[in-house]
Amino acid sequence: MKTMHARKLAELSLMTGVALMIFIIELQLPNLSPVPGVKLGLANIITVCAVYRYSMRETLLIVAARILLGSIFSGQAVTLLYSAAGSALCLTGMMLLRRLIPLKHIWICSVLGAVCHNVGQILTAIAVTRTPGLIAYLPILLVSGCVAGAFTGFCAQFVLGRSALWRRRRGSHF
Amino acid sequence: MCRSINAVGVCAAICIALFIIGIAGTIFALRPQAERIVEILQDGTVIYRFDLETIQETMTVEIADGDFTNIAEVRRDGVRMLSANCPDQTCVQMGTLRYRALPIVCLPHHLTIRFAETGNASSGEIDAITE
């Protein structure tokens, strides 16, 4: 077990806190569409930033804590499974793409991550309800994933460009 | 350097391709729906089947399973989930069933309301319990 610097721990906690706040605020906004699963997923701005700024293990910690606490705070424990499956696929995809896509094209990584997320959710929904017909939602979720992913990706790009916290080199010791 | 530009180009092309496939699929999925037979499924099994043509007056169907209760409203012009005792209320917010491709789904209670597959209705297997 690697030890974690207090500063790094505080940083990761801050990121989790910000992501949680965004998540809870987004829940209060009216739904953009009656189709379940179609939403902006603004909390993923933090996920995309974390993928590019922290190690895989640290990103996983932020996302896992956000999903778990988010489902408790929002009282929607049933959606935990879907979020977890979607995020697992999304993170795997983005971690692989991180090597290929440089920081200035971060939106591409975000779009593909969002699409992976939606595919993960629809597969879980099919497995849980045992209704293969739900695959018909996929085209709609592909479009929504592309739009939402591009939006969160550009937001992440602005955040990464502006925050003083990010300007340190990844992996440097404090 | 050249390799990374290529990778970015390929990924960008994949994004655009996914978007176009999604748009095409959405247009295909949302084409007008002529089917009039509606099914309510629980865990992938049909528990109710209605032919909307034969519905004379509005009726409600209560589906209870343990702590879960959903009430569906069946009318001549469509079916919708009237209420559900789950916290997320997604199925209620989805409104009236309009498209074959967009079934009303209650994920917490594993319920699906959808139009029957075309041709399936004539297969003669009537496992609907209409009360």
Side-chain angles (χ1 to χ4, degrees):
Chain A
M1 181 82 189
K2 279 197 291 182
T3 55
M4 189 182 273
H5 288 262
R7 160 132 201 168
K8 178 56 70 74
L9 181 62
E11 243 183 62
L12 297 184
S13 315
L14 182 66
M15 287 305 122
T16 310
V18 172
L20 261 177
M21 270 189 267
I22 298 175
F23 177 75
I24 299 292
I25 290 170
E26 194 189 0
L27 271 185
Q28 307 306 315
L29 302 176
N31 272 351
L32 292 171
S33 112
V35 181
V38 175
K39 59 180 244 178
L40 273 173
L42 294 175
N44 286 320
I45 296 171
I46 300 298
T47 314
V48 178
C49 290
V51 164
Y52 273 82
R53 275 297 173 242
Y54 296 122
S55 70
M56 184 184 269
R57 179 169 154 269
E58 289 158 353
T59 310
L60 193 66
L61 280 176
I62 295 180
V63 174
R66 194 258 295 168
I67 291 173
L68 192 64
L69 292 175
S71 79
I72 293 171
F73 290 166
S74 63
Q76 298 191 356
V78 281
T79 57
L80 180 65
L81 189 62
Y82 303 97
S83 311
S87 294
L89 213 59
C90 165
L91 269 187
T92 315
M94 288 208 289
M95 280 297 172
L96 293 173
L97 288 168
R98 183 173 75 169
R99 297 151 187 265
L100 293 176
I101 299 171
L103 198 58
K104 62 176 177 172
H105 295 300
I106 201 169
W107 67 273
I108 298 174
C109 187
S110 173
V111 166
L112 294 175
V115 169
C116 287
H117 187 280
N118 285 352
V119 169
Q121 282 190 317
I122 199 89
L123 291 180
T124 318
I126 289 171
V128 169
T129 61
R130 283 173 244 165
T131 313
L134 293 184
I135 199 82
Y137 275 111
L138 193 60
I140 295 163
L141 289 180
L142 278 183
V143 175
S144 105
C146 286
V147 175
F151 183 76
T152 52
F154 282 118
C155 289
Q157 216 157 336
F158 286 125
V159 171
L160 285 170
R162 277 167 193 254
S163 167
L165 195 62
W166 306 107
R167 295 217 181 100
R168 292 163 214 284
R169 282 218 347 258
R170 180 153 52 90
S172 65
H173 290 270
F174 302 109
Chain B
M1 191 60 201
C2 185
R3 203 169 140 253
S4 96
I5 290 170
N6 279 342
V8 169
V10 168
C11 292
I14 293 173
C15 290
I16 293 164
L18 284 173
F19 187 67
I20 292 169
I21 292 170
I23 297 262
T26 306
I27 292 169
F28 179 73
L30 299 188
R31 67 199 186 285
Q33 174 66 50
E35 189 62 62
R36 297 292 285 162
I37 299 191
V38 171
E39 294 172 333
I40 302 181
L41 291 88
Q42 187 167 40
D43 283 318
T45 318
V46 178
I47 53 171
Y48 292 98
R49 179 175 286 164
F50 307 97
D51 186 346
L52 296 185
E53 289 300 329
T54 63
I55 303 287
Q56 296 303 325
E57 54 190 44
T58 304
M59 57 190 233
T60 57
V61 181
E62 191 177 319
I63 304 138
D65 183 13
D67 293 336
F68 298 152
T69 311
N70 289 57
I71 297 172
E73 184 187 62
V74 183
R75 295 197 314 211
R76 199 176 162 78
D77 57 347
V79 179
R80 68 184 174 120
M81 200 68 92
L82 206 59
S83 72
N85 67 342
C86 61
D88 70 17
Q89 299 291 311
T90 303
C91 55
V92 178
Q93 284 165 18
M94 281 190 72
T96 306
L97 183 66
R98 293 251 175 268
Y99 304 105
R100 165 105 189 93
L102 288 185
I104 299 175
V105 182
C106 177
L107 288 177
H109 301 173
H110 303 184
L111 286 173
T112 311
I113 304 180
R114 66 170 191 198
F115 286 108
E117 313 258 355
T118 322
N120 201 17
S122 57
S123 69
E125 49 156 320
I126 300 162
D127 40 7
I129 318 145
T130 318
E131 291 165 36

